[in-house]
Amino acid sequence: MLNRIIPFDNNDVLLLAEYYFVHVETTTSRNSIISHSTWYYNAENIYAFFVSPNGDCKIKVVEKKQHSTNNDGVNLSYNTVWDKDNVYVLYVDNIKNKKGGKKKYNYDNRNKGVLACVKLNKNEDVKKFYMNDLSEYNQDFYLRKFRRFNEKVVIGIAYKNRKQQLVKIAIN
């Protein structure tokens, strides 16, 4: 799913797309009177397409794994802020992935999350770093609902101690 189109000053364009899919399982009772459906939401890798004015295209992959069921899943995803040189992709990652390694752990709103940031630029550099531990927030830290405030800040609402809090995330 194509999510963002970001132009650079040198006329290059960055296209961001996410592998996002929904799987539905429905079970029905023997007498076909009662049925129950479970919706499985999957928001996985982000694909960064660097496109030059002459049509050359280079692709970088931002690896991520987010899964959820039913109502929480529609809010999985990522958010972006950008300045004239860099694009910052923010998403909630499983805290176990902070240690590195080949195995990628899934973030599913039930495990501890950490704010991950991937810096992309027109030189096609990709750098990932971790920012804040999000365990102090209730299990509904949905970056998709946050809004870009300026070049390096997104703001949104999250719940902390069962109260709504305005949250500001700044990239340094």
Side-chain angles (χ1 to χ4, degrees):
M1 174 167 57
L2 180 63
N3 299 90
R4 304 272 190 286
I5 301 172
I6 301 169
F8 286 116
D9 290 344
N10 67 350
N11 294 323
D12 286 352
V13 174
L14 174 63
L15 306 173
L16 294 175
E18 180 177 43
Y19 182 49
Y20 190 93
F21 61 97
V22 179
H23 170 78
V24 181
E25 289 184 9
T26 302
T27 55
T28 307
S29 65
R30 285 186 190 179
N31 55 11
S32 300
I33 295 174
I34 300 171
S35 68
H36 172 76
S37 295
T38 302
W39 294 66
Y40 296 94
Y41 293 85
N42 302 275
E44 296 189 358
N45 295 343
I46 299 166
Y47 297 89
F49 298 88
F50 294 90
V51 184
S52 69
N54 65 4
D56 291 337
C57 181
K58 298 212 168 92
I59 303 170
K60 300 287 183 173
V61 178
V62 175
E63 291 185 2
K64 76 175 186 73
K65 247 181 143 174
Q66 297 172 308
H67 297 180
S68 190
T69 56
N70 297 328
N71 296 331
D72 288 339
V74 295
N75 296 306
L76 296 174
S77 194
Y78 68 96
N79 213 320
T80 53
V81 290
W82 61 90
D83 57 28
K84 66 183 183 96
D85 297 316
N86 301 297
V87 174
Y88 302 92
V89 176
L90 302 161
Y91 65 95
V92 181
D93 200 357
N94 187 314
I95 203 161
K96 292 178 185 176
N97 291 333
K98 197 172 176 180
K99 296 175 186 169
K102 281 191 170 187
K103 181 173 167 101
K104 295 296 176 210
Y105 293 91
N106 173 45
Y107 174 75
D108 66 6
N109 288 0
R110 289 183 301 241
N111 51 43
K112 291 190 180 200
V114 62
L115 185 60
C117 182
V118 177
K119 177 181 168 183
L120 306 164
N121 64 34
K122 53 191 166 192
N123 298 326
E124 300 159 27
D125 296 329
V126 177
K127 180 184 176 197
K128 181 176 180 178
F129 56 95
Y130 288 96
M131 297 172 64
N132 303 15
D133 179 350
L134 301 175
S135 58
E136 65 185 302
Y137 293 94
N138 298 25
Q139 297 173 341
D140 54 2
F141 199 89
Y142 301 131
L143 277 170
R144 177 178 258 182
K145 291 184 174 184
F146 278 55
R147 295 293 170 247
R148 181 177 186 253
F149 182 72
N150 65 28
E151 289 183 343
K152 293 204 177 182
V153 174
V154 292
I155 58 172
I157 301 291
Y159 283 86
K160 188 174 179 180
N161 300 325
R162 299 177 194 242
K163 293 181 183 173
Q164 279 190 343
Q165 302 273 322
L166 181 64
V167 178
K168 174 181 157 186
I169 300 170
I171 312 291
N172 295 326

